Amino acid sequence: MFKAEGMEHQFRVIEPLMHGRAPESLPRVLRAAKVLLPSDGPDALKTVRRALYEADPVAREEVSSWGVWEAARHGMGSISGTLLDWTISHCVEVERAAAEAEKLIGRGDFRGAATSIRRSDTLATYMSERMAEDLAGARSDADSLRSRAAALFEFQVSQVARVEVRLRAERAPLNVGGFLPLLVPAKNGRCRPGGEFLRWLQRRRGLPTIKSVLDQSAAQSKAGFGPVNEATLKRWSCGASFPTQEKLKALVRALATTPSSEEPDANELEAAWYQFWAARRFNLVLTLAEQIVDRDQAVPESRRMLYLMDTDSIDEWSRRRYAWWLAFWTERAVPA
């Protein structure tokens, strides 16, 4: 992209910074950055420009206060009212609250970080007392990852619940439905968000069987929506694999298209996207947590993770905590 815009040289100069390496020449970096920071660009870039080239103390203070998520949000332009806006804004909120704790962790002061988190109304909601105690007792950065990962899983589940509450308030006509059914346990007690998403699609379109799904998607293939094959649908249904966005897109478009229309229903596509997003988030959290816990139940660290999450099963934890977070955000109405 930079090459096409005639800016390959400038990109090569600043590229080391993207990989955490010190540049060979700071003046060269500043000259290259100036080309990439147009004076008539977005307000965020103007602020960066003032901080770098005009030594504006107010601009420098503002830029230095940005975390990774906040900087990314400034660079995204107009996304207000979208799912991306809701999720990124939530990340920024937590990132700001965690600034002090992050600095303390960087200095190896885990006890101080735990104290900072306990003092924060925002962070203490995600990190339980068990997790905070574990963090306070950490002796290294690696040792602190266990409690931090447990808190991150809480945050990820919380964010899905927060989105559901916003959907009720701001996208009610879509009738997306709740996300908790995506965590319905199978006979073996395991959650299969991908399979439950497929069943959500079936119910939404009144298709009781996989065969009926295949028939309808095949009927729409003339419109350019190639059907997903039966083996793939069965793998999704039983939880053997999670649907990829690329493979799923054709199926959803086919099911959202009626014989009387050449284009799929836009509301149906949007509703399906929200459900898919929630299912994918649940699947990610379950997969990562299970990788930690199921690696070897004989390893004390694995059992320690379950203790921190106050559960004997990641699947049970996901359903219980999602219901808790849903009530939490519902009580607070629409998040700011």
Side-chain angles (χ1 to χ4, degrees):
M1 181 183 70
F2 281 98
K3 187 175 183 179
E5 294 295 326
M7 296 180 178
E8 183 179 9
H9 171 71
Q10 286 81 8
F11 176 78
R12 296 300 181 195
V13 172
I14 67 170
E15 190 176 19
L17 293 173
M18 300 168 62
H19 300 287
R21 299 195 299 270
E24 293 181 6
S25 168
L26 184 57
R28 285 184 64 204
V29 169
L30 291 176
R31 287 196 298 271
K34 197 166 190 175
V35 177
L36 301 174
L37 295 170
S39 57
D40 59 347
D43 289 344
L45 292 186
K46 292 178 182 177
T47 302
V48 173
R49 194 180 177 94
R50 290 200 310 274
L52 283 175
Y53 303 108
E54 300 173 22
D56 183 330
V58 175
R60 286 189 170 186
E61 183 177 357
E62 180 179 348
V63 172
S64 65
S65 72
W66 294 349
V68 173
W69 287 106
E70 188 162 5
R73 176 64 186 87
H74 282 304
M76 288 181 179
S78 178
I79 60 171
S80 297
T82 65
L83 176 61
L84 184 60
D85 177 33
W86 297 347
T87 54
I88 294 292
S89 297
H90 192 194
C91 290
V92 170
E93 175 187 316
V94 173
E95 181 178 58
R96 288 173 178 169
E100 180 186 41
E102 186 178 5
K103 289 178 182 177
L104 291 167
I105 287 172
R107 295 201 292 263
D109 184 0
F110 303 108
R111 186 168 297 281
T115 299
S116 174
I117 289 169
R118 287 184 177 110
R119 286 198 305 261
S120 168
D121 291 339
T122 299
L123 301 181
T125 314
Y126 300 107
M127 180 169 277
S128 68
E129 184 56 29
R130 286 186 181 187
M131 298 175 198
E133 287 178 2
D134 190 76
L135 176 62
R139 293 194 174 101
S140 67
D141 192 58
D143 195 28
S144 73
L145 289 178
R146 181 180 50 235
S147 52
R148 291 158 64 189
L152 176 61
F153 295 148
E154 282 283 346
F155 170 77
Q156 296 286 352
V157 170
S158 166
Q159 190 166 87
V160 180
R162 180 161 155 152
V163 166
E164 180 174 331
V165 172
R166 296 201 74 150
L167 282 173
R168 290 178 191 168
E170 301 179 30
R171 301 287 195 278
L174 290 178
N175 191 27
V176 174
F179 297 141
L180 189 57
L182 294 170
L183 295 172
V184 169
K187 290 181 179 179
N188 62 1
R190 304 304 292 266
C191 296
R192 301 176 299 187
E196 294 307 324
F197 170 70
L198 179 59
R199 279 178 276 283
W200 177 88
L201 272 179
Q202 291 178 240
R203 292 191 299 271
R204 186 89 173 184
R205 307 310 297 169
L207 302 169
T209 64
I210 286 180
K211 183 180 184 306
S212 60
V213 173
L214 289 169
D215 289 344
Q216 178 158 332
S217 62
Q220 295 303 325
S221 61
K222 64 182 185 298
F225 309 137
V228 177
N229 63 48
E230 184 176 2
T232 298
L233 287 181
K234 286 183 175 179
R235 286 197 300 272
W236 292 353
S237 182
C238 71
S241 64
F242 187 80
T244 63
Q245 186 173 336
E246 292 72 23
K247 284 190 176 182
L248 189 71
K249 190 178 294 184
L251 175 66
V252 172
R253 286 178 64 86
L255 297 185
T257 304
T258 62
S260 61
S261 173
E262 293 184 359
E263 288 297 321
D265 186 297
N267 285 342
E268 287 300 297
L269 291 181
E270 187 176 359
W273 167 246
Y274 286 121
Q275 281 285 337
F276 176 69
W277 172 83
R280 185 168 59 179
R281 175 66 63 86
F282 285 147
N283 184 71
L284 175 65
V285 171
L286 288 166
T287 299
L288 291 176
E290 286 164 1
Q291 284 177 352
I292 295 173
V293 174
D294 294 345
R295 179 181 51 193
D296 186 348
Q297 286 291 328
V299 176
E301 293 299 306
S302 296
R303 300 303 305 176
R304 182 71 174 173
M305 192 70 177
L306 289 174
Y307 169 77
L308 292 179
M309 298 173 77
D310 190 23
T311 188
D312 292 322
S313 159
I314 295 299
D315 299 280
E316 181 278 332
W317 167 85
S318 68
R319 293 188 295 273
R320 174 169 51 84
R321 295 307 295 164
Y322 186 72
W324 189 92
W325 282 111
L326 194 57
F328 178 89
W329 289 119
T330 299
E331 183 181 339
R332 284 154 183 76
V334 180

